[in-house]
Amino acid sequence: MKNEASAILLISCPDRQGIVCSVTDFLMRHNGNIINLEQHTDTEEQVFFMRVEWVLAGFSLSRDQIGEKFSLIADRFEMRYELHFSDYIPRVAIFVSKFPHCIYDLLARQNSGDLNAEIPLVISNHPDLEPVARMHGIDFRCVPVTKENKPEQEALQRELLNQYSIDVIVLARYMQVLSDEFCRSYPNRIINIHHSFLPAFVGAKPYHSAHQRGVKIVGATSHYVTGDLDEGPIIEQEVMRVSHRDSVESLVRKGRDLEKLVLARAVWVHLQNKVLVYKNRTVVFS
Amino acid sequence: MKNEASAILLISCPDRQGIVCSVTDFLMRHNGNIINLEQHTDTEEQVFFMRVEWVLAGFSLSRDQIGEKFSLIADRFEMRYELHFSDYIPRVAIFVSKFPHCIYDLLARQNSGDLNAEIPLVISNHPDLEPVARMHGIDFRCVPVTKENKPEQEALQRELLNQYSIDVIVLARYMQVLSDEFCRSYPNRIINIHHSFLPAFVGAKPYHSAHQRGVKIVGATSHYVTGDLDEGPIIEQEVMRVSHRDSVESLVRKGRDLEKLVLARAVWVHLQNKVLVYKNRTVVFS
Amino acid sequence: MKNEASAILLISCPDRQGIVCSVTDFLMRHNGNIINLEQHTDTEEQVFFMRVEWVLAGFSLSRDQIGEKFSLIADRFEMRYELHFSDYIPRVAIFVSKFPHCIYDLLARQNSGDLNAEIPLVISNHPDLEPVARMHGIDFRCVPVTKENKPEQEALQRELLNQYSIDVIVLARYMQVLSDEFCRSYPNRIINIHHSFLPAFVGAKPYHSAHQRGVKIVGATSHYVTGDLDEGPIIEQEVMRVSHRDSVESLVRKGRDLEKLVLARAVWVHLQNKVLVYKNRTVVFS
Amino acid sequence: MKNEASAILLISCPDRQGIVCSVTDFLMRHNGNIINLEQHTDTEEQVFFMRVEWVLAGFSLSRDQIGEKFSLIADRFEMRYELHFSDYIPRVAIFVSKFPHCIYDLLARQNSGDLNAEIPLVISNHPDLEPVARMHGIDFRCVPVTKENKPEQEALQRELLNQYSIDVIVLARYMQVLSDEFCRSYPNRIINIHHSFLPAFVGAKPYHSAHQRGVKIVGATSHYVTGDLDEGPIIEQEVMRVSHRDSVESLVRKGRDLEKLVLARAVWVHLQNKVLVYKNRTVVFS
């Protein structure tokens, strides 16, 4: 889709006049060719959000200078901002337990070039999916977690994440709850898939609960992980119709397709630097 | 869709061998031409469900005799069953408050001949929608309900329902909670529309809650009303994608289309005698 | 949703640097408080599109001056643009034949205040739906069209449209083909609903064709009317799952819900000045 | 989902009285415990369809005897029928070209035990995807096809299919058109995925055509392959919303998810013996 390297600014700040004008003026003065600009104002919260992407070729500032120069505007408008470059390939670690469908799907996408990512590391609390990682040439580390050893094992996980220079953690049906501290170390960088249409059916066995309640539609939800289980900012959701004919087993089977689709979409928009988080909600630019 | 009168049996009973065979044999022996047969077995609960419809013309039993003769089979299999005739036109009362979209939609469907129903009565706790009822030539009764006068007013409502020989009550965004006793008097005959994807966002202001939680999909749910608010058997649900761009007002606006669609579908399948309730769930035959 | 009058600019022009910057600078210099800005660049066609909305209160140009002053920027960038004011209430004429579901739905929306429109006139080639118009207090004119009298009758229709100062024509299942000349007189101002997922099943009886082909999903399409039947720019589409159980009659019945929903959405985005047409396609801002 | 072996009868015949009764009576007389029964009557064509599944354990006829005994009923009602056993594992060959997403998805499902199938053979007209087959331990045969060598190469393909005792052929984005003769040799046993919502956008480059037409929804279609390109009986379809923001590349990217989902669903229902074909349409039992 992109042949040339581009820069991306993700901005949020209190809403006031002149923000778009100032940012686009900054880019124009340095000969920036904007290829995407999307803004959103939350009128209730009075917060302004913006994603702007421009071609680096011909831009009169070097990559290092952009942040430095832009900080003047950022300060003026009390902006929080992120600066990304489209040619940086993020490094992803996948955490799994025993269900293989999500990891299979992510690895196939990575292999096909659909994900703008390296996936050098798979971590699991079970040995079962080692062959799946190996067949894709990816390092697999089994880190079994119990209530007792969780602090040490999370320390080991963090060491591995550092060692592999991981940017993003994807929980591909990883069945362990991460500690609050672990979550806080990777803010908006841990992506989970929950197998229900949140906030319906939080916790374990959501398909059983859905069946019990007799819903006519089931869903899956991908969200950033915070210390509050299943309560983090939602990135993406999808649903499908079911009926009285669907047993719990049938919901589980059909749900797998939702889970892998929703997780893959969430990972994709994250890797495209299209997501901004505020107040436990996300702005997902299109 | 149907030119000829037909009879419909809705059956549920403990699952065991020979049920379909016995029922179809009964119909064949009396020269019944089956035009629809659908069965479902809940293998977890070991319960058997069936809907069978056959042409009355040529059937060797009169309408009165069917139940009498069928009761032998019903007893043998410990069946609960309902017998309906397609040429009976059910009588529906609509309960409303101030939101007009659902009642407008139902009345337009009735006027166009889309609903197999008479709608002789609209009851409201506010006078606002009287003109909507009147323009369709329907009697409108304003029965204001407060915490104090609820028993008397529900008695009045029941008197009206009797007087108009009402079979089915449709709560078309009626903002009063019905008493447990009232609900029990019309089991599986009161249909409500709730403006969320239940069980997410029960109670008041679900669009506000959905916005607050930052969901990417919102829904509406139609269910039979029981004494447990928003907990009755779900008949139909539908959803739509939303985004960070949707304010609460926007969710409310878009949600209206879901509400009227879901309620109309639920009313339709009910009026077609396609719904069986068991254990707070529904079997909705296709 | 809006308490204050706002101005809306819809812009399209050849893509080049500095457009966003120039437009937002223009607004800022005149003290314009932007409440919505969305832009899109078609990179294949190298065309730039933008919709920007700002509050009129406090803006230093009067309504009359805006176009005059903005034309300098428009000329520089070879822009085509439209200027709208949110407090102008467009006047809509509905054309119908015999199917009532779409007109019922539109009139209910208008009555409920959901459409930002006046609907002073209904035109039909049949007398059947006169009562529907009358019950909403709307003038109804029957203008029967045959192959022979089409030129005169279209002249009469145009006279009526002028007399009622109509801005937008909505074909709510109007079963006559408008002449090329008529279509050209109201470019991007005639909105039709076609009862299929275009470009599948153009022409008459699409539900029959869909049933014949055995599709598992059917749809409806709303588009601007051009001289090429069913070939105009698509504004909105929606679909629903069907199955082998659906007869043609069942498709027709279910399809009505799609038709009225899709038409209403298309009319709504048009009336909100969110649609730009280029090369037989639409940009529909969110 | 099934712990015990079951037998499945798929039946179609001219509609008349007594079919359900006769079939269920046959099963009951031989002590058959029905676990699924679904019937459908096409009232326009006057054709009756039925799928019935019963537990083999305790059934008083051996597998060999079932067909023999059932043929008496089949003759009486002029039935076409298929008899399947749930513990038979069908053998599938996948045909691919260069796009890997569908084969990756199918192989992951097979590996995870989601597909009731063996996949011993992949055939391609290009060598590119050999590693994907090999990593799953599946034989890969490159059979390049040109206009000139098609007859010989199809002969080779058929030899391979025989040699591997293949029951079902899945075209997982296989970009060669099969000859009429080849198609006729495997009636209702070749499953293709077409990357559009058929019958819209038949032929090559459907995403380009969809973009050109400006549709707001795109789809994918899985169908049995017949001699008429893209005209075979549709098994499954799915769609997704798109917008003016989607370039052709974006449609292609998003469409891959539809393609693999729709193909997998179609293969699954086929392998579950849930599909009956008549008059270029399918009955897909639930």
Side-chain angles (χ1 to χ4, degrees):
Chain A
M1 225 171 313
K2 282 167 244 149
N3 306 312
E4 299 183 286
S6 57
I8 296 145
L9 269 173
L10 283 172
I11 297 165
S12 61
C13 63
D15 188 31
R16 40 189 264 219
Q17 285 188 30
I19 309 172
V20 176
C21 187
S22 299
V23 174
T24 55
D25 179 65
F26 167 79
L27 295 177
M28 200 174 69
R29 275 187 290 110
H30 298 101
N31 204 33
N33 187 15
I34 296 174
I35 51 178
N36 268 302
L37 181 154
E38 201 172 344
Q39 65 100 43
H40 169 63
T41 307
D42 186 316
T43 52
E44 283 150 37
E45 310 280 353
Q46 292 292 320
V47 184
F48 174 90
F49 305 90
M50 186 171 172
R51 183 184 188 276
V52 61
E53 181 172 5
W54 70 97
V55 179
L56 281 167
F59 197 56
S60 65
L61 298 176
S62 73
R63 295 185 185 211
D64 290 344
Q65 292 171 311
I66 297 173
E68 190 188 326
K69 297 279 185 192
F70 186 72
S71 65
L72 298 174
I73 294 170
D75 287 351
R76 176 142 57 98
F77 289 98
E78 303 170 74
M79 287 176 180
R80 292 171 45 205
Y81 74 93
E82 303 170 28
L83 176 63
H84 300 280
F85 299 106
S86 69
D87 53 5
Y88 175 74
I89 310 295
R91 295 172 66 79
V92 174
I94 299 179
F95 281 41
V96 287
S97 292
K98 294 185 168 182
F99 296 118
H101 53 288
C102 286
I103 186 173
Y104 262 128
D105 188 61
L106 289 168
L107 297 184
R109 287 168 193 269
Q110 204 275 336
N111 257 26
S112 313
D114 285 1
L115 285 185
N116 179 42
E118 296 287 333
I119 305 180
L121 176 65
V122 172
I123 290 178
S124 181
N125 52 334
H126 294 285
D128 308 51
L129 298 181
E130 175 155 4
V132 179
R134 297 287 179 216
M135 76 197 281
H136 288 84
I138 298 173
D139 291 355
F140 179 92
R141 294 296 297 267
C142 188
V143 184
V145 178
T146 63
K147 211 174 275 182
E148 290 70 34
N149 73 4
K150 189 174 230 173
E152 305 91 87
Q153 295 300 71
E154 286 202 344
L156 171 55
Q157 289 170 346
R158 296 169 72 149
E159 202 181 300
L160 287 165
L161 297 171
N162 281 336
Q163 184 186 324
Y164 282 84
S165 305
I166 295 301
D167 298 297
V168 185
I169 300 163
V170 177
L171 309 186
R173 294 300 309 276
Y174 180 65
M175 307 305 272
Q176 286 287 324
V177 177
L178 301 173
S179 75
D180 206 29
E181 196 202 347
F182 190 99
C183 296
R184 271 198 304 265
S185 306
Y186 304 92
N188 303 329
R189 289 166 60 198
I190 312 176
I191 299 173
N192 185 41
I193 179 71
H194 181 75
H195 41 316
S196 85
F197 180 75
L198 289 176
F201 311 123
V202 297
K205 300 209 170 259
Y207 293 124
H208 288 76
S209 306
H211 188 257
Q212 188 70 19
R213 182 63 186 92
V215 293
K216 301 302 185 190
I217 288 174
V218 296
T221 303
S222 191
H223 61 93
Y224 288 118
V225 178
T226 62
D228 292 324
L229 187 66
D230 300 338
E231 297 288 342
I234 293 170
I235 307 168
E236 171 66 348
Q237 302 187 290
E238 192 53 272
V239 294
M240 68 188 337
R241 292 193 79 82
V242 296
S243 81
H244 61 270
R245 292 187 173 276
D246 288 288
S247 61
V248 172
E249 288 76 14
S250 165
L251 296 183
V252 169
R253 183 183 70 79
K254 292 181 177 176
R256 283 195 289 262
D257 282 339
L258 281 182
E259 295 161 27
K260 63 195 208 191
L261 184 65
V262 170
L263 180 58
R265 284 189 195 156
V267 170
W268 195 85
V269 291
H270 178 90
L271 294 175
Q272 298 288 317
N273 303 302
K274 287 174 179 281
V275 189
L276 262 174
V277 174
Y278 77 112
K279 289 202 145 209
N280 209 42
R281 279 176 277 176
T282 61
V283 170
V284 180
F285 292 108
S286 56
Chain B
M1 224 171 312
K2 283 166 242 151
N3 306 312
E4 297 183 286
S6 57
I8 295 145
L9 269 172
L10 283 171
I11 297 165
S12 61
C13 62
D15 189 30
R16 40 190 264 219
Q17 286 187 29
I19 309 172
V20 177
C21 187
S22 299
V23 174
T24 55
D25 179 65
F26 167 79
L27 296 178
M28 200 173 68
R29 275 187 290 109
H30 298 100
N31 203 34
N33 186 16
I34 296 175
I35 51 178
N36 268 302
L37 182 153
E38 201 173 343
Q39 65 100 44
H40 168 63
T41 307
D42 186 315
T43 53
E44 283 149 37
E45 310 281 352
Q46 293 291 319
V47 184
F48 174 90
F49 304 91
M50 186 170 173
R51 184 185 187 275
V52 60
E53 182 172 5
W54 70 98
V55 179
L56 281 168
F59 197 57
S60 65
L61 298 177
S62 72
R63 296 186 184 207
D64 290 344
Q65 291 172 312
I66 297 174
E68 191 188 325
K69 297 280 185 192
F70 185 71
S71 64
L72 297 173
I73 293 171
D75 287 351
R76 175 143 56 100
F77 290 97
E78 302 171 76
M79 287 174 178
R80 290 170 47 206
Y81 74 93
E82 302 170 28
L83 176 63
H84 300 280
F85 299 105
S86 70
D87 53 3
Y88 175 74
I89 309 297
R91 294 173 66 80
V92 174
I94 299 180
F95 280 41
V96 288
S97 292
K98 292 185 169 183
F99 296 118
H101 52 288
C102 286
I103 185 173
Y104 262 128
D105 188 61
L106 289 169
L107 296 184
R109 287 168 194 269
Q110 203 274 338
N111 258 26
S112 313
D114 286 1
L115 284 185
N116 179 41
E118 296 288 331
I119 306 181
L121 176 65
V122 172
I123 290 178
S124 180
N125 53 333
H126 295 285
D128 307 51
L129 298 180
E130 174 155 4
V132 179
R134 296 289 178 212
M135 75 198 280
H136 288 84
I138 298 173
D139 290 356
F140 178 92
R141 294 296 297 266
C142 187
V143 184
V145 179
T146 63
K147 210 173 276 183
E148 290 70 35
N149 73 5
K150 191 176 230 172
E152 304 92 88
Q153 296 300 70
E154 287 201 344
L156 172 55
Q157 289 170 345
R158 296 169 71 150
E159 202 180 299
L160 287 166
L161 297 171
N162 281 336
Q163 184 186 325
Y164 283 84
S165 304
I166 296 302
D167 297 297
V168 186
I169 300 163
V170 176
L171 309 185
R173 296 299 310 275
Y174 180 64
M175 306 305 272
Q176 287 287 323
V177 177
L178 300 173
S179 74
D180 206 30
E181 196 202 348
F182 190 99
C183 296
R184 270 199 303 267
S185 305
Y186 304 92
N188 303 328
R189 289 166 59 198
I190 312 176
I191 299 174
N192 185 42
I193 179 71
H194 182 75
H195 41 316
S196 85
F197 180 77
L198 289 177
F201 311 125
V202 296
K205 300 209 172 259
Y207 293 123
H208 288 77
S209 307
H211 188 257
Q212 189 70 19
R213 181 64 187 92
V215 294
K216 301 302 184 188
I217 288 175
V218 296
T221 304
S222 192
H223 61 93
Y224 288 117
V225 177
T226 62
D228 292 324
L229 187 65
D230 299 338
E231 298 288 342
I234 294 170
I235 307 168
E236 171 67 349
Q237 300 187 291
E238 192 52 272
V239 295
M240 69 189 334
R241 293 192 80 82
V242 296
S243 80
H244 60 271
R245 291 186 174 275
D246 289 288
S247 61
V248 172
E249 287 78 13
S250 165
L251 295 183
V252 168
R253 183 184 68 79
K254 292 181 177 177
R256 282 194 289 263
D257 282 339
L258 281 182
E259 295 160 29
K260 62 194 208 193
L261 184 64
V262 169
L263 180 58
R265 284 189 195 156
V267 170
W268 195 84
V269 292
H270 178 90
L271 294 176
Q272 298 288 317
N273 303 303
K274 287 174 179 281
V275 189
L276 263 174
V277 174
Y278 76 113
K279 289 202 144 209
N280 211 41
R281 280 177 276 177
T282 61
V283 169
V284 181
F285 292 108
S286 56
Chain C
M1 226 170 310
K2 281 166 242 150
N3 306 311
E4 298 184 286
S6 56
I8 295 145
L9 270 173
L10 283 172
I11 297 165
S12 61
C13 63
D15 188 32
R16 41 190 263 221
Q17 285 187 29
I19 308 172
V20 177
C21 187
S22 299
V23 174
T24 55
D25 179 65
F26 166 79
L27 296 178
M28 200 173 68
R29 276 189 288 110
H30 297 101
N31 202 36
N33 187 16
I34 296 175
I35 50 178
N36 269 302
L37 182 153
E38 203 173 343
Q39 65 101 45
H40 169 63
T41 307
D42 186 316
T43 52
E44 283 150 36
E45 309 281 353
Q46 292 292 318
V47 184
F48 174 91
F49 304 91
M50 186 170 172
R51 182 184 188 276
V52 59
E53 181 172 5
W54 69 98
V55 179
L56 281 168
F59 197 55
S60 65
L61 298 177
S62 72
R63 297 187 184 208
D64 289 346
Q65 291 172 313
I66 297 173
E68 192 188 325
K69 297 281 185 191
F70 185 72
S71 65
L72 297 173
I73 293 170
D75 287 351
R76 176 143 57 100
F77 290 97
E78 302 170 77
M79 288 175 179
R80 291 169 47 204
Y81 74 93
E82 302 170 29
L83 176 62
H84 300 279
F85 299 106
S86 69
D87 54 2
Y88 175 74
I89 309 296
R91 295 173 65 80
V92 173
I94 299 179
F95 280 42
V96 288
S97 292
K98 293 184 169 182
F99 296 118
H101 53 288
C102 286
I103 186 174
Y104 262 127
D105 188 62
L106 289 168
L107 295 184
R109 288 168 193 271
Q110 204 275 337
N111 257 26
S112 313
D114 287 0
L115 284 185
N116 180 41
E118 297 287 332
I119 306 181
L121 176 65
V122 172
I123 290 178
S124 179
N125 53 332
H126 295 285
D128 307 51
L129 298 180
E130 174 154 6
V132 179
R134 295 290 177 211
M135 74 197 281
H136 288 83
I138 299 172
D139 290 356
F140 178 92
R141 295 296 296 268
C142 187
V143 185
V145 178
T146 63
K147 210 174 276 184
E148 290 71 35
N149 73 4
K150 189 175 229 172
E152 305 92 88
Q153 295 299 70
E154 286 200 344
L156 171 55
Q157 289 171 345
R158 296 169 72 148
E159 202 179 299
L160 287 165
L161 296 171
N162 281 335
Q163 183 186 325
Y164 283 84
S165 305
I166 296 301
D167 298 296
V168 185
I169 300 163
V170 176
L171 310 185
R173 298 298 310 276
Y174 181 64
M175 307 305 273
Q176 286 287 324
V177 177
L178 300 172
S179 74
D180 207 29
E181 196 203 349
F182 190 99
C183 296
R184 271 199 303 267
S185 306
Y186 303 92
N188 303 330
R189 288 167 59 198
I190 311 175
I191 300 175
N192 185 42
I193 180 71
H194 182 76
H195 41 316
S196 85
F197 181 75
L198 289 176
F201 310 124
V202 297
K205 298 206 173 264
Y207 293 122
H208 288 76
S209 306
H211 188 258
Q212 188 70 19
R213 182 64 186 91
V215 294
K216 301 302 185 189
I217 288 174
V218 296
T221 304
S222 190
H223 61 93
Y224 288 117
V225 177
T226 62
D228 291 325
L229 187 65
D230 301 337
E231 297 288 343
I234 293 170
I235 307 169
E236 171 65 350
Q237 301 187 291
E238 192 53 271
V239 295
M240 69 189 334
R241 292 194 79 82
V242 296
S243 81
H244 61 271
R245 292 186 173 276
D246 288 288
S247 61
V248 171
E249 287 78 13
S250 165
L251 296 183
V252 169
R253 184 184 68 80
K254 293 181 177 176
R256 283 194 289 262
D257 281 339
L258 281 181
E259 294 160 29
K260 62 194 207 192
L261 184 65
V262 169
L263 180 59
R265 284 189 195 155
V267 169
W268 195 85
V269 292
H270 178 90
L271 293 175
Q272 298 287 317
N273 303 302
K274 288 174 179 283
V275 189
L276 264 174
V277 174
Y278 76 113
K279 288 202 147 211
N280 210 42
R281 279 178 277 177
T282 61
V283 170
V284 181
F285 292 108
S286 56
Chain D
M1 225 170 310
K2 281 167 244 147
N3 305 312
E4 298 184 284
S6 57
I8 295 145
L9 269 172
L10 283 171
I11 298 165
S12 61
C13 63
D15 188 32
R16 41 190 262 220
Q17 285 187 30
I19 309 173
V20 176
C21 186
S22 299
V23 174
T24 55
D25 178 66
F26 167 79
L27 296 177
M28 199 174 69
R29 276 189 288 110
H30 297 101
N31 203 34
N33 187 15
I34 296 174
I35 51 178
N36 268 301
L37 181 153
E38 203 172 344
Q39 65 99 43
H40 169 63
T41 307
D42 186 316
T43 52
E44 282 149 37
E45 310 281 353
Q46 292 291 320
V47 184
F48 174 91
F49 305 91
M50 186 171 172
R51 183 185 187 275
V52 60
E53 180 172 6
W54 70 98
V55 180
L56 281 168
F59 197 57
S60 65
L61 298 177
S62 71
R63 296 185 185 210
D64 289 345
Q65 291 171 311
I66 298 172
E68 190 188 326
K69 297 280 184 191
F70 185 72
S71 64
L72 298 174
I73 294 170
D75 287 352
R76 176 144 57 99
F77 290 97
E78 303 171 75
M79 287 175 179
R80 291 171 45 207
Y81 74 93
E82 302 170 29
L83 176 62
H84 300 281
F85 299 105
S86 69
D87 54 4
Y88 175 74
I89 310 296
R91 296 173 65 79
V92 174
I94 299 179
F95 281 41
V96 287
S97 291
K98 294 185 168 181
F99 296 118
H101 52 289
C102 286
I103 185 172
Y104 262 128
D105 188 62
L106 289 169
L107 296 184
R109 287 168 193 270
Q110 205 275 335
N111 257 26
S112 314
D114 286 1
L115 283 186
N116 179 42
E118 297 287 333
I119 306 180
L121 175 65
V122 172
I123 291 178
S124 181
N125 53 333
H126 295 286
D128 307 51
L129 297 181
E130 174 154 4
V132 179
R134 297 287 179 214
M135 75 197 282
H136 287 83
I138 298 173
D139 290 356
F140 178 92
R141 294 296 297 266
C142 188
V143 185
V145 178
T146 62
K147 210 174 277 183
E148 290 70 33
N149 73 4
K150 190 174 230 172
E152 305 92 87
Q153 295 300 71
E154 287 201 345
L156 171 55
Q157 288 171 345
R158 295 169 72 149
E159 202 180 298
L160 287 165
L161 296 172
N162 281 336
Q163 183 187 323
Y164 283 83
S165 305
I166 296 302
D167 298 297
V168 185
I169 301 163
V170 176
L171 309 185
R173 297 297 311 274
Y174 180 65
M175 306 305 272
Q176 286 287 325
V177 177
L178 300 173
S179 74
D180 206 29
E181 196 201 350
F182 190 99
C183 297
R184 270 199 304 266
S185 306
Y186 304 92
N188 304 329
R189 289 167 58 199
I190 312 176
I191 299 174
N192 185 42
I193 180 70
H194 182 76
H195 41 317
S196 85
F197 180 77
L198 289 176
F201 310 125
V202 296
K205 300 210 172 256
Y207 292 124
H208 288 76
S209 306
H211 188 258
Q212 188 69 21
R213 182 62 187 91
V215 293
K216 301 302 184 188
I217 288 174
V218 296
T221 303
S222 191
H223 61 93
Y224 288 117
V225 177
T226 62
D228 291 325
L229 187 64
D230 301 337
E231 298 287 342
I234 293 170
I235 307 169
E236 171 66 348
Q237 302 187 290
E238 193 52 272
V239 294
M240 69 188 336
R241 292 193 80 82
V242 296
S243 81
H244 60 271
R245 292 187 173 274
D246 289 288
S247 60
V248 172
E249 287 77 14
S250 165
L251 296 184
V252 168
R253 183 184 69 79
K254 293 180 177 177
R256 284 195 287 262
D257 281 339
L258 281 182
E259 294 162 26
K260 62 193 208 192
L261 184 64
V262 170
L263 180 59
R265 284 188 194 156
V267 169
W268 195 85
V269 291
H270 178 90
L271 293 175
Q272 299 287 318
N273 302 303
K274 287 174 180 282
V275 190
L276 263 173
V277 175
Y278 76 112
K279 289 202 146 209
N280 209 42
R281 279 177 276 177
T282 60
V283 169
V284 181
F285 292 108
S286 56

